[in-house]
Amino acid sequence: MMNGHFASVGEEGTREQYEHGVQVVDEDKEFNPHISQYLALENVIPAGFNYHIISVFGSQSTGKSTLLNYLFGTQFGVMQENERRQTTKGIWMSKNKRPTTGADGKTTMAENILVMDVEGTDGRERGEDQDFERKSSLFALATSEVLMVNIWEHQVGLYQGANMGLLKTVFEVNLQLFLKDSKTIPRSLLFFVIRDHLGNTPLENLRATLLQDLSRLWSTISKPPGLENSKIDDYFDFAFVALPHKILQPQQFEQAVEKLSKRFVEGFKDPKKAGLVNDEDTGVFQPQYHRRIPADGFPVYAEGIWDQIEQNKDLDLPTQQELLAQFRCDEIAREVLIPFDETIAPLEEKQAAAKLVGEPIIIQNLGLTMNKARETVFKDFETNASRYHKGVYTRKRAELESKVDTRLKALFQGQLQAAHKSGLAAFGDAVSGAVKAGQKKGATYDFAQIVESEKKKALASFERTAQNVVVQGATWSDYKQELTLFKKELDESSKRLRRDEMKRLANRVERWVRSRLGESIGLEFNKLGTGRGGSGAPENGEKPASEKDLWDRIWHVFTDTVTQAEARFTERAKSFDASPDEVDVGLWRLRRKSWGVLSAKIDEEMMEGNLLLKLRENFEDKFRYDDAGVPRIWRPTDDIEGAYTKARESTLKLIPLLTRFRLGETGSPPPLDAWIGAAPPGVSPADEDDLAPIGGVDEDEGKSLEEETLVLSEAKATDLANRFRKMADGVFVEAKRGALGGVTQ
Ligand code: GDP
Ligand code: MG
């Protein structure tokens, strides 16, 4: 699938177009940019290393093309018998067309054999153009595993023959290739095809003659410094075959070619151990001949090589291979990123869009998708790129990994952020929902348990989401830190929720205090209206007990009520796991607020009208009723003045008593400071926000306890006394009148 994409360089080629193979280099030494198209058409591109390149050399018109066409089923142009003109120009390439397996399913030939037909080199038409010969030799050597040298039998031993010139060139350029790095240059097989073998001279003899000539030739070539002592078989293996005359013995020729074709299989014998490759049973394709250029990189590599050759630059194969590796690895990386991008980019967009509107989303099956995409992208890259230069491949793989992982990591973290945010929200909702449901039922719901169970659910859900999005084999794909953070924020959220719950509880308890105090304090004040009080005898001049200890009773009722409220509060607060500190703060607030409630209630009772009414009731009670509680009927003889004065003075004594909140026992204000207590250590500014300052407790407020407990100002007390007197006078006058009237009547 992916390799198919590599092939689609330019327009699609057709079989007809490449009937004769593809011209790699034309007669103007231009490299053909469509090699990859041809190799794609021939399905060689995906072959990896499973392909072979053979080049054929030899004087022109020695039947090279003819041989290739027989041997590989190719259709290279051949010279027609009637016009003796060179047909093969430049370098042509064609894939072996013969079947690679026989009818019995056995391998008959190696797969993907690419044959290069190199222009004849007699220079009949190119004159003394040694340049092309050199260049095409260099090109063939740099790319081919097997170099077939086509030679007439009658030329064997003719040391001065044209073929020797060619071979000399081959040897020289070969040494040039070895200059840079002798370790990375593979060996080559020189396969001599002796044509028009008459049969008189056995192949053995021809072989011996040729080898002799070759070593003689080797000794004469100029060797670069450092390679002076190199031997020919340091670089080359040799093989030989003799073919009958194609025209005179066509049948024998074809049989021999048929037999020869069987040798184009993978060879497994190490020729170093086996000696020279002359064993007909040994395949010509030895692993050590292979140039190790992956098939999909061959077009680029070949072009680069030709480019260097064309520009007469030193051919540095290791560098070429590294450049190729860089080029191809980049290309492959781009290719494998396409399907990755198709999968990942929409998710990235989705996540970014959701984030933009502040509502991060959890993408379903994100982990599965990411794992698959990551695995695929690396696997595809490895499959295609790992055949290239190891160092380059490793580097490019790291680059790709970082590119891929940067994006996946962002998705991963986005997902965790979404899980974090939605998890916290869901937790808060769930807790308040459960509280509301509990309130509806009216029962005392267990807040702590609600929080605990919702927290567990939230953590489990977060972990599920996180676990799902873990990318296998990615070191960054760890959510421990995020989980810890989530847990921490859950705790903080629980604390906030508990504080809210505490506030609700505090409000409830406060309301309860208010209603209780409203009732009980009102009652205490109402007692003022009963001037006789319990059993107290007004004669002894003492105030009735109910009047004298008004404040003691109020303080008692108040502290009693608050103590009960505190007990309620403490019990509830503990039930939802409030810390002792939190409870202390709640109680402290409750006491302060309760004091506020009491203050307000007292103020209400002290409102002028209310107070005057109470004084009047108190006075009238004393004036109009006798000690037994029987209403008096005034007679003119009665000491109305005396009773009036006594009752009035008794009631007037209440006013100074009322002006200040004093406890009878100590004669001092209630111990508010000690009773409220110091602010507990856990108190926060927020806790103090809605608290009114209390004199004598909050020293900074500049208000003393005396002032805090001053119920009625001096002026108001005087005013109240005056109004009371007038009111009492009225009652007196009325009584007096009533007494007189009663007599007259
Ligand atoms: P190339 O230039 O080396 O590719 O040679 P060609 O394949 O075009 O053939 C050149 C001529 O040699 C043609 O006329 C062929 O018919 C002829 N030819 C082909 N094979 C043989 C052979 O085995 N022996 C001889 N004597 N002639 C051959
Ligand atoms: Mg030819």
Side-chain angles (χ1 to χ4, degrees), residues 61 64-66 77-79 87-88 117-118 120:
S61 304
K64 296 187 300 294
S65 301
T66 304
V78 294
M79 179 185 279
T87 46
T88 303
D117 191 2
V118 182

Side-chain angles (χ1 to χ4, degrees), residues 448-580:
Q449 205 199 310
I450 290 173
V451 167
E452 213 36 58
S453 95
E454 291 306 332
K455 204 193 277 182
K456 236 181 232 160
K457 276 189 223 165
L459 277 173
S461 162
F462 183 90
E463 271 215 80
R464 248 195 329 273
T465 306
Q467 191 59 50
N468 168 282
V469 87
V470 162
V471 174
Q472 299 306 319
T475 48
W476 48 263
S477 186
D478 176 65
Y479 59 86
K480 229 177 260 150
Q481 227 177 322
E482 283 82 357
L483 182 65
T484 309
L485 185 72
F486 182 64
K487 214 182 258 171
K488 211 177 114 196
E489 294 212 2
L490 270 185
D491 286 341
E492 266 159 33
S493 174
S494 319
K495 221 188 256 173
R496 271 196 303 277
L497 289 167
R498 199 168 58 217
R499 202 169 294 152
D500 290 348
E501 182 64 12
M502 287 276 276
K503 253 182 212 144
R504 276 194 291 276
L505 169 64
N507 286 338
R508 277 204 304 278
V509 174
E510 242 174 77
R511 271 202 304 281
W512 181 82
V513 167
R514 180 167 288 125
S515 107
R516 284 295 292 263
L517 289 184
E519 206 172 302
S520 52
I521 300 300
L523 270 174
E524 292 305 330
F525 273 101
N526 284 347
K527 285 181 188 162
L528 284 178
T530 319
R532 288 150 297 133
S535 56
E539 299 95 71
N540 59 18
E542 271 191 12
K543 287 185 285 261
S546 60
E547 291 172 9
K548 204 176 88 186
D549 55 15
L550 170 74
W551 292 117
D552 295 83
R553 278 180 288 111
I554 287 177
W555 180 248
H556 180 75
V557 165
F558 170 67
T559 50
D560 209 48
T561 305
V562 175
T563 302
Q564 285 178 51
E566 283 186 307
R568 282 167 158 246
F569 182 87
T570 308
E571 187 196 288
R572 277 300 279 148
K574 280 202 173 131
S575 88
F576 51 75
D577 260 6
S579 68

Side-chain angles (χ1 to χ4, degrees), residues 19-21 65 68-69 72-78 92 94 97:
E19 194 185 354
H20 302 284
S65 301
L68 294 180
N69 290 346
F72 300 110
T74 53
Q75 294 184 54
F76 291 120
V78 294
W92 281 76
S94 178
K97 297 286 164 59

